[in-house]
């Protein structure tokens, strides 16, 4: 704490990951664009959902081979970014829809991305997806 009573972490760091970086991957998902997705991922990227995890090579391989794709990705909440120096966390709630339209092909989830600035660019080393809990009474 400083003498002013303000938390030092509240000051913007000199180099920070910009919240706009949070938009790069969703725009690349529909329609799927492997190169844009790859451009937002760190080399050691890991995606975690439930008890499963996927590495960068596996995910990009699925996209490039024409594997399951999304026909829609919609934000339920706007991304919320919190900067921590050259690292940021971005959280949002999204819905994804796949071509068949059945309940298995629809997801309502909370996402957490970690972004790290290296050489002037924000890259994601981690994405965590958690199924959203429907509001009570719905």
């Amino acid at each position: 704490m400083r003498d002013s009573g303000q938390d030092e972490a509240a000051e913007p760091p000199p180099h920070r990951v910009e919240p706009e970086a949070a938009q790069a991957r969703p725009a690349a998902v529909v329609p799927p664009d492997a190169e844009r997705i790859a451009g937002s991922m760190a080399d050691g990227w890991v995606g975690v959902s439930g008890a499963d995890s996927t590495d960068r090579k596996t995910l990009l391989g699925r996209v490039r081979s024409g594997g399951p794709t999304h026909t829609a990705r919609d934000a339920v909440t706007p991304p919320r970014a919190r900067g921590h120096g050259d690292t940021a966390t971005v959280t949002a709630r999204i819905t994804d829809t796949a071509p068949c339209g059945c309940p298995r092909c629809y997801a309502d989830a909370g996402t957490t991305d970690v972004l790290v600035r290296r050489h002037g660019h924000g890259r994601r080393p981690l994405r965590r997806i958690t199924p959203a809990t429907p509001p009570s009474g719905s």
Side-chain angles (χ1 to χ4, degrees), residues 23-39:
Q23 303 299 328
R25 187 173 185 277
V29 173
V30 181
D33 181 336
E35 297 317 309
R36 282 188 68 193
I37 293 169

Side-chain angles (χ1 to χ4, degrees), residues 29-115:
V29 173
V30 181
D33 181 336
E35 297 317 309
R36 282 188 68 193
I37 293 169
S40 72
M41 301 165 93
D43 289 340
W45 179 91
V46 175
V48 180
S49 179
D52 296 326
S53 65
T54 303
D55 63 25
R56 182 180 197 271
K57 181 179 178 181
T58 301
L59 177 69
L60 293 173
R62 278 193 296 221
V63 173
R64 288 181 177 125
S65 70
T69 61
H70 303 286
T71 55
R73 170 165 281 177
D74 297 302
V76 176
T77 64
R80 292 176 300 269
R82 301 252 193 258
H84 311 280
D86 284 346
T87 302
T89 56
V90 181
T91 58
R93 185 169 168 192
I94 60 166
T95 58
D96 281 333
T97 306
C100 75
C102 72
R104 267 190 358 207
C105 298
Y106 175 82
D108 182 355
T111 62
T112 302
D113 286 297
V114 174
L115 287 91

Side-chain angles (χ1 to χ4, degrees), residues 116-123:
V116 178
R117 181 175 292 281
R118 295 283 183 262
H119 310 294
H121 300 283
R123 299 286 188 256

